[in-house]
Amino acid sequence: MSVTSRIEIDQAICADFDAEVASPRAVMVAWPNMIFDPPDDQAFIAINIVCDSAEQIELGPDGRHRFVGVLFANVFCPVGRGEAEARDIAEAIGDRYRSATRGGIVFRSPTVGAGIRDRGYLRITVQCPFIADLVR
């Protein structure tokens, strides 16, 4: 399955993330370029979707283009609550996107980073690389 626009890639990833990661865990999400007030007393996730490159993989006026990108999911948990909650959420994100196809987007092996203190929160970054073929 292919997507038909760059924005459709973002929409498909955000819809899947909301339905399968955030909502079942009742975790707030800071969506790309949306106003967000981080809570002081609970975990939340900030996501960014970056498409690093695109290349034409089929010839012709309607040829496919392949986007290569990464879903960055930064899991934040207030300092003083330990690492278990943030690590559990981060691992769930990794499990969801490990070698899986979601909405026509093919995810590869994610990386779950170390916990780092960041402005009163413990932050764990999950990087989920993907490819998506765009057909016009």
Side-chain angles (χ1 to χ4, degrees):
M1 182 177 179
S2 300
V3 293
T4 59
S5 69
R6 170 62 179 84
I7 192 69
E8 194 176 312
I9 295 170
D10 289 5
Q11 290 170 341
I13 291 172
C14 288
D16 183 83
F17 195 93
D18 186 39
E20 302 298 331
V21 176
S23 291
R25 290 168 184 74
V27 177
M28 295 174 64
V29 178
W31 300 106
N33 200 31
M34 298 298 290
I35 295 172
F36 181 77
D37 271 334
D40 294 330
D41 60 346
Q42 63 184 359
F44 68 93
I45 306 165
I47 70 166
N48 290 295
I49 302 164
V50 177
C51 282
D52 295 332
S53 64
E55 61 184 49
Q56 189 169 0
I57 59 173
E58 277 183 359
L59 297 176
D62 296 325
R64 289 187 306 160
H65 288 76
R66 176 160 291 161
F67 283 88
V68 178
V70 180
L71 163 63
F72 291 94
N74 292 292
V75 179
F76 292 89
C77 191
V79 168
R81 292 175 51 168
E83 189 173 314
E85 181 182 14
R87 179 71 50 200
D88 182 57
I89 295 168
E91 291 293 337
I93 294 166
D95 290 345
R96 175 70 187 160
Y97 297 104
R98 182 168 289 109
S99 302
T101 300
R102 308 283 181 223
I105 299 159
V106 179
F107 287 89
R108 297 191 170 155
S109 295
T111 302
V112 177
I116 300 170
R117 284 190 178 208
D118 185 357
R119 295 170 286 173
Y121 296 95
L122 173 74
R123 175 177 49 89
I124 298 175
T125 300
V126 184
Q127 298 178 45
C128 305
F130 66 85
I131 58 171
D133 290 348
L134 183 113
V135 177
R136 299 231 183 243

